[in-house]
């Protein structure tokens, strides 16, 4: 029997600049492609739409899904969506951040808490997880045992909350109430850096609260 040609979850790393509040930082972003050999969604189209399009190959792009509105997660979204004739999805609470990057373009549809997206044979549940930004979301694929956390949760703790439109108490509540309740074996695919698991991160919640970041 022939093997499936495409894994349900693929990733590539793109490089560019994160810019916010007058500062700029060189960053590497994880771009996630979720689906099958015919259709897929892209989670966080970062920096290089041509590289993402090459990774997609001849699959139909069903949507460009944005975990939040920071420039390094959405700066390739419009070009990729235009190239592939796909809608852009973003939580409405991050509209202000989106417009800092794309002032003349609107997302095509809102990502709302509890909504379920189909990506090939994968179902993604939208979890609104504010804190890193007001409209931050995570995407939970229960059957595959993975959650895509954007910049809400990393290996080693929460995403940064020291800049505009961020809130440390909110991100702690989001992690505690929406993520750490998932099965411990759930793989956490992050917006930057290595993946981890819910079980590996859960014991450290109080440490994060006490250190304040």
């Amino acid at each position: 029997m022939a093997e499936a040609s495409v894994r349900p979850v693929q990733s590539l790393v793109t490089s560019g600049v994160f810019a916010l509040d007058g500062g700029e930082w060189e960053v590497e972003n994880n771009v996630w492609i979720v689906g099958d050999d015919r259709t897929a969604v892209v989670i966080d189209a970062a920096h290089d739409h041509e590289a993402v399009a090459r990774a997609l190959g001849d699959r139909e792009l069903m949507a460009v899904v944005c975990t939040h509105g920071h420039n390094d997660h959405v700066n390739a979204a419009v070009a990729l969506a235009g190239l592939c004739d796909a809608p852009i999805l973003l939580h409405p609470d991050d509209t202000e951040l989106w417009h800092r990057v794309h002032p003349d373009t609107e997302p095509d549809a809102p990502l709302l808490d509890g909504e379920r997206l189909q990506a090939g044979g994968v179902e993604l549940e939208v979890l609104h997880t504010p804190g890193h930004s007001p409209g931050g979301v995570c995407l939970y694929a229960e059957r595959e045992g993975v959650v895509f956390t954007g910049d809400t949760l990393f290996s080693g703790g929460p995403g940064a909350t020291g800049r505009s439109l961020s809130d440390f108490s909110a991100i702690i509540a989001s992690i505690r109430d929406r993520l750490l309740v998932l099965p411990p074996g759930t793989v956490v695919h992050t917006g930057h850096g290595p993946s981890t698991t819910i079980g590996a991160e859960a014991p450290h919640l109080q440490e994060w609260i006490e250190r304040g970041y």
Side-chain angles (χ1 to χ4, degrees):
M1 186 172 66
E3 292 185 11
S5 58
V6 174
R7 301 184 306 276
V9 177
Q10 296 173 287
S11 67
L12 68 153
V13 176
T14 59
S15 300
V17 174
F18 168 50
L20 188 66
D21 298 340
E24 293 189 349
W25 300 265
E26 294 286 338
V27 290
E28 292 188 335
N29 284 63
N30 297 325
V31 180
W32 299 98
I33 301 173
V34 182
D36 58 22
D37 58 358
R38 296 181 301 278
T39 62
V41 302
V42 166
I43 299 173
D44 289 344
H47 306 305
D48 186 343
H49 74 283
E50 292 180 342
V52 179
R54 286 193 297 271
L56 274 167
D58 60 2
R59 285 175 285 182
E60 180 183 2
L61 180 61
M62 304 305 292
V64 178
V65 183
C66 308
T67 62
H68 62 292
H70 285 152
N71 80 292
D72 60 319
H73 290 256
V74 303
N75 55 9
V78 171
L80 180 66
L83 183 66
C84 299
D85 191 24
I88 298 168
L89 311 182
L90 176 77
H91 193 282
D93 288 354
D94 267 14
T95 300
E96 178 181 339
L97 286 169
W98 169 270
H99 283 149
R100 294 181 186 182
V101 186
H102 301 292
D104 300 320
T105 305
E106 300 292 336
D108 295 287
L111 277 176
L112 301 177
D113 186 62
E115 182 180 359
R116 294 176 184 271
L117 309 176
Q118 297 297 325
V122 180
E123 183 177 79
L124 296 167
E125 179 185 358
V126 178
L127 308 176
H128 183 209
T129 53
H132 181 68
S133 69
V137 303
C138 298
L139 300 148
Y140 177 44
E142 181 177 11
R143 189 179 68 180
E144 286 70 27
V146 302
V147 61
F148 301 90
T149 57
D151 288 2
T152 295
L153 178 63
F154 294 106
S155 175
T161 53
R163 303 187 180 99
S164 62
L165 301 179
S166 64
D167 184 287
F168 179 69
S169 62
I171 203 171
I172 288 293
S174 292
I175 291 170
R176 181 188 64 227
D177 300 338
R178 306 308 304 276
L179 297 179
L180 299 187
V181 297
L182 300 177
T186 303
V187 176
V188 176
H189 288 320
T190 64
H192 308 271
S195 297
T196 182
T197 65
I198 293 296
E201 302 306 318
H204 303 289
L205 177 64
Q206 189 58 38
E207 298 171 25
W208 305 335
I209 293 170
E210 291 173 358
R211 78 187 187 190
Y213 63 90

